[in-house]
C-alpha cells in the first residue's frame, strides 16, 4: 500500500477555508465594510453590481496600508489587530481573525488600491487565485479601495449556489444596514448598478435608524438608556404599533458588533408582554456595551454569535431597560420589574459589584428594580382605546401556512359528498361565532369559514385581473408619500409592476420613499401605508422554500389582506353575497393556501353520528 495523504496546495486550502467566511456576496460586503471601519474611515462607499456577483467594492478614507501591508493583508492569519491570544479579550475592532481578505482572494479576483497619508503615491495590487498578478504605483487619495470581482469564478459549484439577484441584494442590504446602524457617525453610501441607493450623512443614532428603517418611525421610537457598572445599554425601541408579524427589524449590537441572539430577543419581547400580540415582534436597535473580557467573540467564523460570561444577567438588564423605557413613555401601565426568581437569586444581583460601588449602584433605578420587588412607581395606564385600536390593527391575520408546492393540496374531506349542488344553497344563512356561516340545506347543512371563503373569492378576482384586464385604479386626490425600511423598500420596488396590475399606482420616489397616486377602486380601507405594510408583511410570510412565483405570492397576500376577517359580524345580505360569490368560484372548496373552506354535513352522516 502506498501512502495516500497529501498536503493541499495553499490556494485549495484557502478556497476550502473561504467557505466559512465568504458564503455569498453579502459576506464580502460585511468583511470589507468592517475593515474600513477598523481603519478609522469617516466616509465609506459601497458599490455593488449584479447583486455583488460581478462586483463588490468598498472605498474608504481610512488609514491606508503600507506597501508591505498591502501584500501581507491577503495572507491567511494576517492581521494587525491582535498579537497574542489574550488580546482576544480586549478586542475593540470588528475584525481580528485575519481571514477575510485571504478568503476573498481565494475565491474572487481582487483589486486593491491603498495609500497612507505619509506616502507619496498609492499602491495598486491585483490578485487572482491567491496570487499577486500585478503590483504598481498608482495615484490615489488617502485610504483604501478593495474591489472583489466575479465571486466564485474559480469555484463554479459554489457560484451555482448563489440565489437570485433579488435575494442576494437583500442580504447585502441587511449587512449594510447592520454596519451603518452601528456607526451613525460615519458617512455611508451605497451604489447598486450605478444607482445611488443610500446616502447616509453622519448624524445621530436616531437619524440613522429613521434613514434606514423608515421615515415613519420618526415619532415612534422610545429611547433606551441605562448605565450601570457592569454594562451600559442604549438605543431605541419601537412603540407597540411598530411591531410586526415578521421578525425583521430587531438589532442587537454588543460593543458595536451586530449579533444574533434568540435569547436576548426574547428578553425584549418579554418586556412588551401584553402590549403587543403574542405572535408579533417589536422593533428595536439596542446597543450593549460591556468590558470585552466579559464576552467571547471568537465562537463563530462570521462573529455573529458571541458568548457572554453571564448570560442571565444580560437578559435581566435588557428586559428591565426596555420595560423602564416603555414605562417612562407611559406605554406600559406599571413599572414592576417583576424579575424571574432565578435571576433575582443571581450573585451578581444580590451582591453588586465592588463594596465601595455598592452604595452608588443600589441607588440606581435599575438596581432597585432588580432587588426591591414591587417598589415600582405607578404610571398611569394609557388610554385603553388607544391600546385596543392598535391591537385591532395588529390582530387580524393568522400566520400563513407553508405548503410544499404551488398546486392545491387535495382536500381530505371527512364527509361524504352526496349532494350535487350546482348553485349556491338557497336557504337563509346564520353566522356562528362571527367566523362561520351556517347554511341549512334540505339534506343537511354547510359550514363555511367566512375569511377563507372571501380569500378565495378575492384571489380568483385578482388572478383574472392579473391575467387579463388590470384592476381599475382610482386616482387618489392628493398623492401620499409612503416610507419603508430599506429591506421593505427593496421588496416593494421588486413587486411594483405586479401591484400596478392589481390597481396600485405607486412610484419610487428615491431611497425608501414612494408616492402612491392611485389604489384599487374597491380597496377595503384606504390607508395606503397600512395597506402596503400589511401586504409586504403577508408577502414576507411565505416560506422561501415555497416555489411559487412572486406574482402568485402577491395575489395571495392581497387576497388575505383584503378579506373580511374572522370575527367580523356580517349582515344577512353580506353573507348571501359571499356564498353566491363563492359558489361562482372555479375552486370553491379550498382557500388559496389549500385549506378547506367549508364543511358539508348531510343527513346520512348525522345519522351515523347519532347511531340511528
Ligand atoms: P482582520 O480584519 O481580521 O484583521 P482581514 O483579512 O479582514 O483581517 O484584514 C487583514 C488586515 O488588512 C487587517 O488587519 C488590516 O491591517 C488590513 N486592512 C484590511 N482592510 C483594510 C482597509 N480598508 N484599510 C486599512 N487596512 C486594511
Ligand atoms: Mg477584517
Amino acid at each position: 500500500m502506498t501512502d495516500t495523504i497529501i498536503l493541499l496546495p495553499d490556494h485549495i486550502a484557502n478556497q476550502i477555508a473561504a467557505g466559512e467566511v465568504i458564503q455569498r456576496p453579502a459576506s464580502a460586503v460585511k468583511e470589507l465594510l468592517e475593515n474600513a471601519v477598523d481603519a478609522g474611515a469617516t466616509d465609506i462607499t459601497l458599490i455593488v453590481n449584479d447583486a455583488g456577483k460581478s462586483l463588490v467594492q468598498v472605498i474608504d478614507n481610512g488609514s491606508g496600508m503600507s506597501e508591505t501591508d498591502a501584500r501581507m493583508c491577503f495572507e491567511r492569519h494576517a492581521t494587525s489587530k491582535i498579537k497574542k491570544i489574550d488580546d482576544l479579550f480586549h478586542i475593540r475592532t470588528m475584525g481580528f481573525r485575519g481571514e477575510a481578505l485571504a478568503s476573498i482572494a481565494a475565491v474572487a479576483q481582487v483589486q486593491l488600491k491603498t495609500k497612507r497619508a505619509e506616502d507619496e503615491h498609492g499602491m495598486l495590487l491585483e490578485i487572482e487565485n491567491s496570487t499577486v498578478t500585478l503590483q504598481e504605483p498608482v495615484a490615489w487619495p488617502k485610504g483604501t479601495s478593495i474591489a472583489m470581482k466575479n465571486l466564485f469564478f474559480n469555484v463554479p459549484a459554489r457560484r451555482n449556489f448563489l440565489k437570485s439577484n433579488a435575494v442576494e441584494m437583500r442580504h447585502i442590504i441587511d449587512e449594510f444596514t447592520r454596519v451603518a446602524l452601528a456607526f451613525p457617525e460615519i458617512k455611508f453610501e451605497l451604489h447598486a448598478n450605478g444607482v445611488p441607493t443610500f446616502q447616509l450623512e453622519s448624524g445621530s443614532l436616531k437619524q440613522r435608524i429613521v434613514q434606514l428603517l423608515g421615515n415613519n418611525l420618526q415619532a415612534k421610537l422610545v429611547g433606551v438608556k441605562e448605565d450601570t457598572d457592569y454594562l451600559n445599554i442604549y438605543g431605541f425601541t419601537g412603540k407597540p404599533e411598530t411591531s410586526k408579524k415578521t421578525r425583521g427589524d430587531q438589532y442587537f449590537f454588543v460593543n458595536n458588533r451586530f449579533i444574533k441572539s434568540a435569547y436576548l430577543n426574547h428578553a425584549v419581547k418579554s418586556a412588551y408582554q401584553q402590549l403587543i400580540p403574542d405572535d408579533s415582534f417589536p422593533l428595536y436597535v439596542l446597543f450593549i456595551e460591556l468590558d470585552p473580557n466579559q464576552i467571547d467573540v471568537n465562537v463563530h467564523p462570521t462573529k455573529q454569535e458571541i458568548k457572554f460570561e453571564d448570560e442571565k444577567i444580560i437578559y435581566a438588564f435588557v428586559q428591565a431597560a426596555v420595560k423602564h423605557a416603555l414605562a417612562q413613555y407611559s406605554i406600559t401601565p406599571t413599572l414592576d420589574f417583576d424579575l424571574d426568581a432565578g435571576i433575582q437569586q443571581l450573585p451578581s444581583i444580590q451582591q453588586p459589584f465592588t463594596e465601595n460601588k455598592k452604595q452608588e449602584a443600589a441607588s440606581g433605578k435599575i438596581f432597585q428594580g432588580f432587588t426591591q420587588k414591587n417598589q415600582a412607581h405607578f404610571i398611569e395606564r394609557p388610554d385603553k382605546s388607544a391600546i385596543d385600536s392598535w391591537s385591532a390593527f395588529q390582530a387580524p391575520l393568522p400566520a400563513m401556512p407553508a405548503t410544499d408546492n404551488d398546486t392545491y393540496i387535495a382536500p381530505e374531506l371527512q364527509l361524504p359528498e352526496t349532494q350535487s349542488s350546482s348553485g349556491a344553497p338557497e336557504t337563509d344563512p346564520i353566522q356562528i361565532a362571527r367566523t362561520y356561516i351556517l347554511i341549512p340545506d334540505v339534506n343537511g347543512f354547510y359550514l363555511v369559514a367566512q375569511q377563507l371563503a372571501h380569500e378565495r373569492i378575492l384571489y380568483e378576482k385578482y388572478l383574472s385581473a392579473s391575467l387579463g384586464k388590470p384592476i381599475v385604479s382610482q386616482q387618489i386626490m392628493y398623492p401620499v408619500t409612503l416610507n419603508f425600511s430599506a429591506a421593505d423598500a427593496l421588496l416593494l420596488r421588486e413587486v411594483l409592476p405586479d401591484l400596478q396590475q392589481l390597481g396600485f399606482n405607486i412610484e419610487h420616489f428615491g431611497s425608501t420613499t414612494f408616492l402612491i397616486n392611485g389604489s384599487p377602486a374597491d380597496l377595503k380601507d384606504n390607508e395606503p401605508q397600512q395597506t402596503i405594510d400589511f401586504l409586504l408583511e403577508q408577502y414576507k410570510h411565505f416560506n422561501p422554500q415555497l416555489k411559487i412565483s412572486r406574482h402568485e405570492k402577491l395575489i395571495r397576500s392581497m387576497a388575505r389582506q383584503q378579506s373580511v376577517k374572522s370575527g367580523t359580524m356580517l349582515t344577512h345580505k353580506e353573507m348571501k353575497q359571499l356564498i353566491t360569490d363563492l359558489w361562482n368560484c372555479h375552486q370553491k372548496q379550498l382557500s388559496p393556501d389549500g385549506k378547506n373552506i367549508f364543511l358539508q354535513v348531510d343527513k346520512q352522516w348525522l345519522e351515523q353520528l347519532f347511531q340511528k
Side-chain angles (χ1 to χ4, degrees):
M1 277 274 261
T2 52
D3 300 331
T4 51
I5 298 177
I6 57 158
L7 213 50
L8 289 174
D10 271 357
H11 75 278
I12 298 185
N14 279 343
Q15 277 181 5
I16 294 171
E20 283 201 330
V21 191
I22 305 297
Q23 283 131 14
R24 49 172 19 122
S27 332
V29 165
K30 169 181 190 285
E31 297 295 339
L32 296 176
L33 289 176
E34 289 187 349
N35 279 347
V37 169
D38 284 345
T42 57
D43 189 339
I44 300 175
T45 299
L46 167 65
I47 298 171
V48 295
N49 285 346
D50 200 14
K53 291 172 185 171
S54 59
L55 176 72
V56 171
Q57 181 176 16
V58 171
I59 305 171
D60 69 57
N61 66 349
S63 63
M65 284 181 260
S66 72
E67 196 176 328
T68 319
D69 283 354
R71 284 190 74 106
M72 264 297 276
C73 69
F74 293 103
E75 297 292 329
R76 184 153 301 273
H77 312 306
T79 181
S80 55
K81 298 168 194 173
I82 58 170
K83 294 202 164 58
K84 49 188 193 308
I85 192 68
D86 203 33
D87 295 344
L88 268 186
F89 297 93
H90 308 281
I91 269 292
R92 284 285 175 193
T93 52
M94 294 294 110
F96 57 81
R97 292 169 63 113
E99 291 181 320
L101 293 183
S103 299
I104 290 173
V107 293
Q109 295 151 337
V110 178
Q111 189 197 57
L112 162 74
K113 287 186 259 182
T114 189
K115 181 182 156 322
R116 297 179 302 177
E118 63 264 40
D119 295 331
E120 207 169 296
H121 55 73
M123 250 307 130
L124 167 71
L125 244 78
E126 285 183 3
I127 289 140
E128 203 170 299
N129 287 318
S130 306
T131 316
V132 177
T133 55
L134 175 79
Q135 177 173 1
E136 61 184 35
V138 69
W140 189 250
K142 176 195 163 236
T144 302
S145 154
I146 298 183
M148 177 186 88
K149 296 177 189 169
N150 305 318
L151 179 60
F152 300 138
F153 78 103
N154 51 357
V155 209
R158 296 195 52 201
R159 194 171 172 92
N160 292 338
F161 270 107
L162 294 179
K163 297 276 170 26
S164 69
N165 281 10
V167 171
E168 294 300 341
M169 194 61 204
R170 217 168 301 153
H171 285 290
I172 289 176
I173 300 259
D174 282 348
E175 295 295 354
F176 178 81
T177 303
R178 291 164 184 174
V179 178
L181 279 176
F183 300 94
E185 67 284 2
I186 298 178
K187 180 179 173 209
F188 283 94
E189 280 180 42
L190 166 58
H191 298 256
N193 298 325
V195 181
T197 309
F198 281 102
Q199 209 135 14
L200 308 173
E201 293 304 326
S202 143
S204 69
L205 174 60
K206 188 169 179 185
Q207 285 165 340
R208 186 57 55 97
I209 294 174
V210 168
Q211 282 174 318
L212 281 166
L213 305 185
N215 274 331
N216 55 326
L217 291 176
Q218 186 70 45
K220 295 181 185 162
L221 295 172
V222 174
V224 175
K225 186 160 170 49
E226 298 288 347
D227 294 342
T228 71
D229 273 3
Y230 185 70
L231 56 69
N232 299 335
I233 298 179
Y234 68 91
F236 292 89
T237 198
K239 292 188 180 168
E241 67 262 32
T242 63
S243 72
K244 289 190 176 177
K245 295 277 169 189
T246 42
R247 187 189 287 283
D249 297 321
Q250 303 196 316
Y251 297 90
F252 262 113
F253 298 87
V254 174
N255 293 347
N256 271 351
R257 185 187 304 283
F258 171 81
I259 59 148
K260 289 184 178 156
S261 167
Y263 187 64
L264 294 186
N265 287 340
H266 189 271
V268 180
K269 178 135 193 226
S270 67
Y272 278 84
Q273 216 171 26
Q274 288 169 4
L275 284 175
I276 60 174
D278 278 350
D279 60 348
S280 63
F281 301 93
L283 167 150
Y284 50 85
V285 180
L286 293 174
F287 291 79
I288 297 174
E289 285 197 326
L290 77 175
D291 190 334
N293 69 28
Q294 293 293 319
I295 49 179
D296 186 353
V297 284
N298 193 31
V299 292
H300 193 260
T302 65
K303 310 178 213 98
Q304 288 198 349
E305 282 161 33
I306 63 171
K307 214 166 142 303
F308 292 101
E309 182 75 20
D310 189 346
E311 206 174 34
K312 280 195 185 141
I313 195 167
I314 312 263
Y315 184 101
F317 273 124
V318 167
Q319 186 196 47
V322 173
K323 270 195 180 182
H324 187 204
L326 292 173
Q328 277 185 323
Y329 283 78
S330 299
I331 290 171
T332 43
T334 55
L335 177 65
D336 58 343
F337 292 110
D338 214 356
L339 278 177
D340 183 89
I343 288 171
Q344 298 218 31
Q345 294 315 311
L346 287 176
S348 4
I349 288 175
Q350 295 289 315
Q351 305 144 25
F353 329 122
T354 55
E355 198 50 43
N356 57 343
K357 294 261 181 168
K358 190 170 177 175
Q359 199 59 33
E360 203 184 312
S363 61
K365 269 187 256 93
I366 201 163
F367 182 71
Q368 284 179 2
F370 281 133
T371 49
Q372 305 173 15
K373 208 174 164 209
N374 302 327
Q375 282 300 298
H377 49 283
F378 186 79
I379 292 179
E380 222 178 313
R381 192 177 250 288
D383 186 357
K384 186 163 180 308
S385 66
I387 294 183
D388 283 348
S389 68
W390 66 254
S391 60
F393 170 85
Q394 289 289 340
L397 309 178
M400 219 176 242
T403 53
D404 290 334
N405 55 42
D406 52 340
T407 50
Y408 299 119
I409 298 171
E412 279 256 355
L413 281 185
Q414 306 287 333
L415 306 166
E417 238 189 308
T418 49
Q419 205 138 7
S420 63
S421 339
S422 44
E426 283 298 315
T427 39
D428 270 353
I430 300 163
Q431 198 182 22
I432 298 178
R434 296 190 174 187
T435 301
Y436 306 100
I437 302 171
L438 181 97
I439 312 148
D441 186 58
V442 274
N443 198 30
F445 63 87
Y446 289 82
L447 197 59
V448 179
Q450 65 187 44
Q451 179 171 345
L452 296 178
H454 200 208
E455 276 181 35
R456 162 55 62 186
I457 295 163
L458 292 173
Y459 172 82
E460 294 204 358
K461 174 175 148 190
Y462 299 143
L463 193 67
S464 68
S466 69
L467 296 174
K469 231 173 75 208
I471 290 196
V472 182
S473 176
Q474 193 168 33
Q475 188 87 15
I476 295 177
M477 191 104 71
Y478 303 101
V480 182
T481 49
L482 308 174
N483 286 294
F484 300 93
S485 69
D488 279 0
L490 194 75
L491 185 64
L492 186 55
R493 279 168 73 177
E494 269 171 46
V495 301
L496 276 189
D498 301 273
L499 284 176
Q500 189 88 31
Q501 197 79 14
L502 292 171
F504 287 99
N505 182 353
I506 300 176
E507 265 174 81
H508 183 222
F509 208 57
S511 77
T512 57
T513 308
F514 293 76
L515 208 61
I516 180 161
N517 301 306
S519 57
D522 55 355
L523 196 65
K524 198 177 58 177
D525 45 4
N526 216 342
E527 261 307 322
Q529 178 85 45
Q530 272 184 29
T531 306
I532 303 293
D533 277 346
F534 265 163
L535 208 56
L536 295 180
E537 276 297 295
Q538 285 299 316
Y539 187 90
K540 285 187 282 186
H541 242 89
F542 283 97
N543 182 341
Q545 311 309 342
L546 203 61
K547 289 227 166 11
I548 52 177
S549 69
R550 180 176 84 188
H551 194 74
E552 170 78 15
K553 281 191 206 171
L554 204 65
I555 293 177
R556 287 198 204 173
S557 303
M558 175 114 160
R560 170 159 296 200
Q561 201 255 334
Q562 289 293 306
S563 63
V564 48
K565 302 298 180 300
S566 300
T568 312
M569 176 112 100
L570 298 177
T571 64
H572 242 102
K573 206 173 141 210
E574 285 167 336
M575 284 190 272
K576 280 193 145 162
Q577 187 64 51
L578 194 80
I579 299 303
T580 312
D581 290 348
L582 178 66
W583 252 256
N584 282 330
C585 280
H586 248 58
Q587 160 59 282
K588 58 176 174 292
Q589 266 173 357
L590 295 174
S591 76
D593 299 306
K595 292 186 200 153
N596 285 326
I597 295 176
F598 61 82
L599 215 70
Q600 187 190 4
V601 175
D602 66 5
K603 193 161 161 250
Q604 261 180 344
W605 189 85
L606 287 171
E607 280 170 357
Q608 269 173 22
L609 183 72
F610 294 107
Q611 289 165 2
K612 211 175 159 189

